[in-house]
Amino acid sequence: SPGRVRVPANPPLTQTIVNPDSRFHTDGGWHQFAIDALRVDVRVAPRAQQTVTLGPLPPGVYEFYCDICCGGRSNPSMVGRLEVTG
């Protein structure tokens, strides 16, 4: 959440990924923030957070997803779009 993030091209983008789930949640509570096209794969432990800086980013639309929890990438709540405008 959110399912769509829109940012301008070129300045770096810093995102903090927060995982509120406990270790008792599906698949041990771990979550992931991955964007294949940008070679991003951040894994976040239960009840933790990770900050990642991307960029500068070229304009485009990039799918982000979590594929290690809650049915993974096939679950509509585990995917989103990063829209980089130029």
Side-chain angles (χ1 to χ4, degrees):
S1 171
R4 181 179 133 196
V5 177
R6 191 169 192 203
V7 298
N10 296 322
L13 167 66
T14 299
Q15 288 281 128
T16 299
I17 315 302
V18 178
N19 180 357
D21 290 332
S22 76
R23 64 186 175 93
F24 302 108
H25 187 72
T26 306
D27 299 323
W30 282 81
H31 280 279
Q32 171 189 33
F33 177 74
I35 305 174
D36 293 341
L38 300 175
R39 295 185 179 171
V40 173
D41 186 355
V42 177
R43 300 188 181 224
V44 186
R47 305 224 183 213
Q49 63 184 32
Q50 291 273 356
T51 299
V52 61
T53 299
L54 310 173
L57 299 171
V61 177
Y62 305 95
E63 179 188 62
F64 61 83
Y65 63 90
C66 172
D67 204 28
I68 59 173
C69 186
C70 306
R73 212 169 177 174
S74 61
N75 180 339
S77 68
M78 293 284 116
V79 297
R81 292 171 21 147
L82 172 62
E83 299 175 3
V84 181
T85 60

